[in-house]
DNA sequence: CATTGATA
DNA sequence: TATCAATGG
């Protein structure tokens, strides 16, 4: 979910060519990416890819092939995994859990009635990202020689930190929260095919990677990051999911620009008093001063462990040997070239 | 979502 | 060689 800044961001976002990212590192919110794979990589009837034991493998397919393709484009992905969520996220997590439960019930019903459309819709809604999936994704990436960072708390916060400290050129996620966490650059729709099907119909639309620069956003609206966070709180974040009733991005922007911050706006009677009970300062702190860690290793590509990749994908999850072997070949070749491109971009010399 | 294979 | 539906696990 995350904060819905679409209406504000649309003013300054721009398309970005994958070629512009050549030789650059990008920190990727792993949960965000994996979840995307789990919902998107499915058969027409909504069934995800599964191994012979019925375990879902859509995420492994997505990670394996997309990572290789990114590397072939010269982009070096750094996957950042979530740690322990902030206490204030409990309500949002509970809300999501309930939605999943409802979706599972509706899915069972759709199964009985054999409604293909409903079946697909609810099986996507019922998608869960388990710990096992995250751990196995991490293992696969490590076997591929791709840098993995374990965040102490929110992965998105860590990915933003890596970007703001220059470890990565940009942070990739579908959520705008990255901007509140301080990522200088956010890339949305970091995909290769550029095709995505619309939720309802079987229509495909062109989806191109887009770049949003924090500085452009703040300049455009004449606000600080602190004020952007206040705007987020009014709209609603994972830590106050409902936001303030009746206040969307435009109103929130107007109010914060006019009064400077939430407290002043409440004081002047522009916002209801109950907002002050929302742990505003704690939410601000989550975005402005989140728990993050310096990456342990070098964030450089390593030699792929061919045997380990094959063990995970072929032996344990029934991937086609031909496809995996071919993928590993591409991976090795692209890895070497990407390293070269990284050296040329000069980004490495900072460290 | 990404790749493959059929089609022209 | 380009396009698109089918397939992947």
């Amino acid at each position: 979910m995350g904060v819905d800044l679409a209406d504000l961001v649309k003013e300054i976002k721009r398309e970005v060519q994958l070629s512009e990212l050549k030789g650059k590192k990008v920190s990727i919110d792993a949960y965000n990416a994996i979840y995307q794979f789990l919902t998107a990589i499915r058969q027409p009837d909504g069934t995800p890819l599964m191994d012979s034991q019925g375990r879902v493998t859509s995420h492994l397919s997505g990670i394996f092939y997309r990572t290789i393709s990114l590397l072939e484009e010269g982009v070096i992905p750094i996957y950042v995994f979530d740690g322990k969520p902030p206490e204030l996220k409990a309500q949002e997590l509970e809300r999501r859990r309930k939605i999943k439960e409802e979706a599972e019930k509706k899915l069972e019903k759709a199964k009985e009635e054999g409604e293909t459309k409903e079946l697909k819709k609810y099986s996507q809604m019922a998608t869960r990202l388990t710990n096992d999936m995250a751990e196995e994704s991490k293992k696969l990436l490590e076997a591929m020689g791709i840098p993995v960072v374990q965040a102490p708390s929110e992965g998105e916060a860590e990915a933003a930190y890596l970007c703001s400290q220059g470890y990565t050129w940009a942070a990739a996620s579908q959520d705008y929260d990255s901007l509140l966490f301080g990522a200088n650059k956010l890339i949305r729709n970091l995909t290769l095919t550029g095709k995505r099907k619309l939720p309802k119909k079987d229509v495909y639309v062109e989806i191109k990677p887009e770049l949003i620069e924090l500085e452009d956003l703040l300049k455009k609206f004449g606000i600080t990051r602190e004020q952007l966070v206040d705007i987020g709180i009014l709209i609603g974040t994972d830590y106050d999911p409902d936001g303030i009733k009746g206040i969307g991005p435009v109103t929130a922007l107007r109010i914060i620009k006019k009064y400077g911050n939430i407290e002043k706006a409440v004081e002047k009677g522009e916002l209801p008093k109950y907002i002050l009970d929302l742990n505003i300062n704690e939410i601000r702190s989550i975005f402005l001063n989140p728990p993050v860690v310096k990456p342990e290793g070098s964030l450089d590509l390593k030699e792929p462990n061919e045997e380990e990749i094959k063990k995970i994908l072929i032996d344990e999850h029934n991937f086609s040997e031909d496809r995996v072997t071919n993928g590993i070949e591409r991976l090795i070749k692209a890895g070497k070239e990407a390293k070269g491109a990284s050296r040329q971009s000069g980004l490495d010399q900072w460290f």
Side-chain angles (χ1 to χ4, degrees), chain A residues 1-9 176-177 188 231-232 235-237 248-249:
Chain A
M1 268 288 99
V3 60
D4 186 8
L5 290 180
D7 278 350
L8 301 184
V9 158
Y176 296 106
D177 294 35
R188 299 185 73 242
I231 289 168
I235 300 170
T237 72

Side-chain angles (χ1 to χ4, degrees), chain A residues 243-261:
Chain A
I244 306 308
K245 287 183 292 289
I247 295 189
V250 176
T251 310
L253 172 67
R254 181 180 60 75
I255 291 174
I256 295 303
K257 264 190 79 80
K258 183 167 177 188
Y259 298 99
N261 61 42

Side-chain angles (χ1 to χ4, degrees), chain A residues 109-121:
Chain A
K109 203 174 163 193
K111 271 181 185 166
E112 287 166 21
E113 293 166 6
E115 291 280 345
T116 311
K117 220 155 203 179
E118 299 287 281
L119 210 69
K120 190 170 187 184
K121 181 170 130 196

Side-chain angles (χ1 to χ4, degrees), chain A residues 164-175:
Chain A
S164 69
Q165 296 304 300
Y167 289 103
T168 59
W169 186 78
S173 173
Q174 290 306 100
D175 289 351

Side-chain angles (χ1 to χ4, degrees), chain A residues 15 30 41 50 78 101 127 162 166 194 209 211 261 283 312 317 335:
Chain A
E15 262 182 32
I41 303 181
M50 290 183 298
I78 315 287
E101 231 166 46
T127 301
L162 293 178
L211 179 68
N261 61 42
I283 300 174
I312 295 172
H317 294 297

Side-chain angles (χ1 to χ4, degrees), chain A residues 59-310:
Chain A
H59 57 303
L60 298 176
S61 176
I63 285 178
F64 185 63
Y65 293 115
R66 179 184 288 178
T67 300
I68 292 169
S69 299
L70 282 176
L71 238 33
E72 285 177 332
E73 295 287 338
V75 183
I76 300 176
I78 315 287
Y79 285 86
V80 183
F81 284 80
D82 274 337
K84 187 176 177 293
E87 302 270 332
L88 273 183
K89 205 176 185 176
Q91 188 194 340
E92 168 65 10
L93 294 175
E94 174 62 13
R95 189 187 70 86
R96 290 181 195 174
R97 199 188 59 77
K98 276 185 181 154
I99 290 174
K100 300 286 174 204
E101 231 166 46
E102 286 303 306
E104 274 162 10
K105 278 182 201 162
K106 286 175 181 167
L107 178 60
E108 288 311 310
K109 203 174 163 193
K111 271 181 185 166
E112 287 166 21
E113 293 166 6
E115 291 280 345
T116 311
K117 220 155 203 179
E118 299 287 281
L119 210 69
K120 190 170 187 184
K121 181 170 130 196
Y122 291 123
S123 69
Q124 278 183 345
M125 281 177 65
T127 301
R128 287 187 203 248
L129 200 173
T130 65
N131 277 347
D132 282 354
M133 289 174 179
E135 284 310 312
E136 202 155 39
S137 302
K138 209 185 283 182
K139 270 173 53 190
L140 175 60
L141 286 164
E142 278 162 357
M144 292 172 74
I146 306 299
V148 166
V149 174
Q150 175 60 55
S153 185
E154 296 283 34
E156 210 159 6
E158 180 72 24
Y161 165 79
L162 293 178
C163 176
S164 69
Q165 296 304 300
Y167 289 103
T168 59
W169 186 78
S173 173
Q174 290 306 100
D175 289 351
Y176 296 106
D177 294 35
S178 306
L179 297 166
L180 274 60
F181 281 119
N184 332 39
K185 295 187 181 70
L186 166 64
I187 299 175
R188 299 185 73 242
N189 307 329
L190 185 60
T191 57
L192 298 132
T193 51
K195 274 189 170 180
R196 190 169 299 169
K197 51 183 165 30
L198 254 42
K200 281 271 190 183
K201 298 183 173 180
D202 281 334
V203 182
Y204 282 83
V205 285
E206 278 288 307
I207 301 285
K208 291 183 176 159
E210 60 188 39
L211 179 68
I212 297 139
E213 302 208 41
L214 178 59
E215 196 187 332
D216 291 349
L217 186 68
L218 299 182
K219 236 182 219 168
K220 168 80 184 176
F221 296 110
I223 54 175
T224 63
R225 176 149 79 93
E226 284 72 13
Q227 290 176 318
L228 182 64
V229 169
D230 270 16
I231 289 168
I233 293 172
L234 295 180
I235 300 170
T237 72
D238 286 349
Y239 318 105
D240 66 319
D242 298 331
I244 306 308
K245 287 183 292 289
I247 295 189
V250 176
T251 310
L253 172 67
R254 181 180 60 75
I255 291 174
I256 295 303
K257 264 190 79 80
K258 183 167 177 188
Y259 298 99
N261 61 42
I262 290 174
E263 285 86 346
K264 271 274 158 27
V266 171
E267 200 178 293
K268 299 288 182 184
E270 187 81 22
L271 290 170
K273 282 212 174 72
Y274 79 87
I275 299 179
L276 301 177
D277 301 327
L278 283 181
N279 300 306
I280 297 174
N281 283 322
E282 205 179 327
I283 300 174
R284 283 171 176 155
S285 171
I286 290 174
F287 285 116
L288 298 172
N289 193 26
V292 289
V293 290
K294 271 191 188 166
E296 288 175 20
S298 65
L299 299 189
D300 284 327
L301 294 171
K302 295 199 189 79
E303 286 288 309
N305 182 340
E306 191 163 349
E307 287 312 303
E308 181 68 12
I309 296 172
K310 285 183 171 174

